Amino acid sequence: MERGLKVKDVADIFQQGSIWARERVEGPSLAWTLWVTLATFSQICCRLVADTPIKMRHLSTKATFNSHGQDSSYFLGWEEYEKNPYDEVQNPKGIIQMGLAENQLSFDLLESWLEKNPEPAGFKRDGKSIFRELALFQDYHGLPAFKRALVEFMAEIRGNRVSFDPNHMVLTAGATSANETLMFCLAEPGEAFLLPTPYYPGFDRDLKWRTEAEIVPIHCTSSNDFQITETALEAAYHEAQQRNLRVKGVLVTNPSNPLGTTLSRSELNLLISFITTKGIHLISDEIYSGTVFSSPGFVSVMEVLKDRNCDKSEVWNRVHIVCSLSKDLGLPGFRVGAIYSNDDMVVAASTKMSSFGLVSSQTQYLLSALLSDKKFTKNYISENQKRLKKRQNMLVMGLERAGISCLKSNAGLFCWVNMRHLLRSDSFEAEMELWKKIVYDVRLNISPGSSCHCTEPGWFRVCFANMTEETLDLAIQRLKDFVVEHTANGHSKSNNSSKNSNRKLLPKWVLRLSSSDRDHKPDER
């Protein structure tokens, strides 16, 4: 589609060139050959333009070019689930959604609070309606009461070892908006951020699509449980330089999506030292901070800055935090995210940009009341973490009985699952084949590691908090039955050659393969 739009310009150039050559033709000559060549190419270009739907010729390249990332296997799995969703009664043989990181384990706690506190949900204060007040326009700075409650909740999750100033917070419509806004503030089109792999597949959309920034991977491996190393950081920085990309910063998720692990204090110190030396930014996406359910505990980047006495240094203004209530409170539909930055210019610019994705006044009012109830938040954080730990253990133990291991994790709503022994070969092609069998035959939607840019084939992200225990038990049983049958039929790599293993580092091949080897082309969302 983008080609059709740009080819028109090329066609115009070649048409002008062919006219120029024809005017200078004096019998058989080089000019005559040039004219014929230009005229022929011009006709081809004009045909390509003619074949482009007229409607598309009147749209921007952003609207017509497929750069959104929806053709990733991560999103394609969702599409297959939506065509055949599992339901215990209506569709017991449907696809179980294990590719969606939602926390549905503690809704009863939220519902109980709402029953006991009907005024906020009814938009009342001291028995009187404030509907009209909330219905009127609110500026993009947000309700002060909500921002105070939110920073106090952030501090509580972090054990009150650090505090946050509401004047340095910018409210956004979810973490997606927060990350994109920071990209707009920190990077020009064509400039790069370094991200450790594996990383959340949606970042290819959130960080790049509209901002036109670039992502350069920091390649982490299973040899050290995918921890960030100085060697990997320097290699990524060097790769960006080789590609003539100016590096503006590093972005990490802590806890990690998809690994389900927290960054160690040594890794955080390494990152601070790295960005200090390079003079670049650090974005710490901490939207899973409240999901840490076992040791080691969560360490925020703000703790490390405080311990290093960085509050008076330049690096203090180059570290930014993204937070959200989508995972910690299980409220992705409320669209509540935030940017926290010590840089006044970033705060000012982000606040102006937030007008394109505000949090409604009604949402802010309701949640300010909920988060201000310290007895509730203390109990919720504790009970939610207990439930997550129990559910994660259920998945890990169930997979172990099926002969499948997981990376040791202590946070998140998912496990990073090792299925390398089920591949026919050590390649990403084999990973895609296995993924398709799991989606279509086993009827489980899980996320392949290649969609997360993992450099090793055979890893998958499997979510466990968006379903009932009974559904999770059924999913584990389905997978266990598949492993037994798969192994019995000799489909594992131990019974096949690994001649394609040299292709395992092919970049983004899965995006092309997953859209070209299917019987139909998925609709754009």
Side-chain angles (χ1 to χ4, degrees):
M1 299 175 197
E2 183 186 36
R3 181 184 64 176
L5 292 167
K6 290 188 174 181
V7 162
K8 182 180 184 301
D9 298 331
V10 177
D12 290 341
I13 293 172
F14 275 87
Q15 281 181 320
Q16 293 299 320
S18 64
I19 294 172
W20 173 86
R22 183 175 56 190
E23 291 174 347
R24 287 156 179 78
V25 169
E26 296 179 359
S29 65
L30 178 62
W32 170 259
T33 303
L34 176 62
W35 177 75
V36 173
T37 302
L38 293 174
T40 303
F41 190 82
S42 174
Q43 291 176 356
I44 295 173
C45 291
C46 289
R47 177 163 294 184
L48 286 172
V49 173
D51 290 342
T52 301
I54 294 177
K55 183 178 180 180
M56 291 183 179
R57 291 183 232 165
H58 296 287
L59 300 178
S60 70
T61 54
K62 192 73 69 181
T64 58
F65 185 51
N66 186 22
S67 61
H68 185 271
Q70 289 290 136
D71 57 353
S72 164
S73 51
Y74 174 74
F75 293 108
L76 292 176
W78 285 15
E79 291 185 358
E80 292 308 312
Y81 163 77
E82 290 169 357
K83 295 173 187 175
N84 184 27
Y86 168 81
D87 182 88
E88 183 179 0
V89 177
Q90 301 296 329
N91 190 21
K93 293 185 178 181
I95 295 175
I96 296 175
Q97 174 63 290
M98 306 186 83
L100 181 59
E102 283 186 344
N103 182 7
Q104 301 180 19
L105 303 186
S106 299
F107 276 161
D108 61 307
L109 301 179
L110 297 168
E111 291 168 339
S112 176
W113 185 89
L114 289 171
E115 289 177 4
K116 296 175 182 176
N117 299 271
E119 278 205 349
F123 307 133
K124 293 182 178 180
R125 183 190 298 131
D126 299 326
K128 297 181 180 180
S129 174
I130 58 169
F131 173 79
R132 295 187 180 186
E133 176 183 334
L134 295 175
L136 297 176
F137 176 77
Q138 303 286 342
D139 72 23
Y140 44 45
H141 290 90
L143 300 181
F146 175 60
K147 294 176 75 173
R148 286 196 301 269
L150 184 55
V151 295
E152 289 174 2
F153 184 64
M154 289 173 60
E156 185 176 7
I157 286 176
R158 291 155 180 80
N160 290 309
R161 294 181 295 275
V162 289
S163 59
F164 299 91
D165 182 351
N167 293 320
H168 288 278
M169 170 173 282
V170 180
L171 300 179
T172 63
T176 294
S177 178
N179 279 309
E180 185 188 54
T181 298
L182 280 174
M183 284 296 114
F184 274 122
C185 289
L186 305 180
E188 299 287 354
E191 294 181 333
F193 263 72
L194 311 181
L195 271 68
T197 63
Y199 62 77
Y200 166 53
F203 280 150
D204 291 319
R205 169 200 63 196
D206 303 348
L207 308 183
K208 296 173 56 178
W209 183 42
R210 297 198 299 185
T211 68
E212 298 182 12
E214 295 291 336
I215 292 176
V216 177
I218 303 168
H219 293 299
C220 303
T221 68
S222 62
S223 62
N224 68 344
D225 294 335
F226 299 97
Q227 293 185 40
I228 301 170
T229 65
E230 183 177 4
T231 301
L233 281 169
E234 291 292 350
Y237 193 86
H238 179 70
E239 179 187 339
Q241 290 181 318
Q242 292 294 105
R243 293 168 54 184
N244 293 319
L245 297 174
R246 182 186 180 190
V247 177
K248 295 303 295 289
V250 179
L251 186 149
V252 296
T253 56
N254 182 29
S256 168
N257 176 9
L259 299 178
T261 57
T262 50
L263 289 177
S264 65
R265 192 174 290 271
S266 62
E267 287 176 283
L268 290 167
N269 271 303
L270 172 63
L271 288 166
I272 295 298
S273 297
F274 182 77
I275 68 162
T276 300
T277 300
K278 304 297 185 184
I280 58 179
H281 295 271
L282 173 63
I283 299 174
S284 182
D285 184 326
E286 300 183 356
I287 68 171
Y288 287 94
S289 57
T291 69
V292 180
F293 49 77
S294 63
S295 60
F298 174 67
V299 180
S300 172
V301 68
M302 290 300 290
E303 283 187 59
V304 177
L305 288 173
K306 179 181 176 182
D307 292 345
R308 293 171 61 127
N309 297 315
C310 292
D311 54 328
K312 298 294 189 278
S313 67
E314 184 184 358
V315 73
W316 180 253
N317 289 343
R318 295 206 307 272
V319 177
H320 321 277
I321 293 177
V322 170
C323 63
S324 167
L325 297 182
S326 296
K327 313 302 180 181
D328 294 348
L329 278 183
L331 301 175
F334 278 46
R335 306 312 303 147
V336 178
I339 295 168
Y340 190 87
S341 175
N342 292 307
D343 189 315
D344 292 336
M345 291 185 66
V346 171
V347 171
S350 297
T351 300
K352 295 170 185 174
M353 290 184 184
S354 70
S355 61
F356 296 101
L358 297 173
V359 182
S360 74
S361 300
Q362 294 84 354
T363 297
Q364 292 184 57
Y365 177 70
L366 171 61
L367 293 180
S368 65
L370 184 144
L371 295 179
S372 296
D373 187 338
K374 300 308 178 186
K375 182 179 179 180
F376 168 79
T377 57
K378 180 180 179 180
N379 177 69
Y380 181 91
I381 292 171
S382 175
E383 182 62 26
N384 184 58
Q385 290 171 347
K386 291 177 183 177
R387 295 181 184 187
L388 287 172
K389 183 176 181 178
K390 178 183 177 182
R391 186 59 66 85
Q392 185 258 11
N393 185 65
M394 178 181 175
L395 176 60
V396 171
M397 297 301 292
L399 292 177
E400 282 186 2
R401 289 192 291 271
I404 298 173
S405 63
C406 301
L407 180 73
K408 185 177 180 180
S409 61
N410 65 325
L413 312 175
F414 34 72
C415 288
W416 190 237
V417 180
N418 183 358
M419 298 191 196
R420 288 180 289 183
H421 63 294
L422 299 178
L423 301 181
R424 64 169 176 79
S425 65
D426 189 22
S427 66
F428 283 118
E429 289 89 344
E431 178 183 281
M432 180 55 70
E433 289 177 9
L434 178 62
W435 174 72
K436 288 181 177 179
K437 290 179 182 178
I438 293 174
V439 171
Y440 294 111
D441 299 337
V442 188
R443 298 183 304 284
L444 304 176
N445 176 38
I446 62 177
S447 305
S450 49
S451 71
C452 303
H453 299 268
C454 184
T455 58
E456 302 173 11
W459 291 91
F460 295 82
R461 192 192 75 166
V462 180
C463 299
F464 56 73
N466 62 322
M467 65 194 78
T468 65
E469 284 192 10
E470 293 74 19
T471 301
L472 180 58
D473 189 57
L474 173 61
I476 293 171
Q477 187 58 50
R478 285 185 183 181
L479 197 54
K480 183 177 180 181
D481 293 342
F482 168 74
V483 172
V484 171
E485 180 182 358
H486 188 78
T487 305
N489 292 335
H491 291 153
S492 63
K493 69 179 180 181
S494 59
N495 297 299
N496 295 276
S497 66
S498 299
K499 60 183 178 181
N500 292 323
S501 61
N502 61 316
R503 301 183 63 188
K504 66 181 181 180
L505 294 181
L506 289 176
K508 300 184 181 179
W509 72 272
V510 68
L511 302 185
R512 300 190 300 271
L513 182 62
S514 57
S515 60
S516 62
D517 61 355
R518 299 167 62 83
D519 294 332
H520 63 279
K521 184 176 180 180
D523 296 331
E524 283 290 313
R525 290 177 184 246

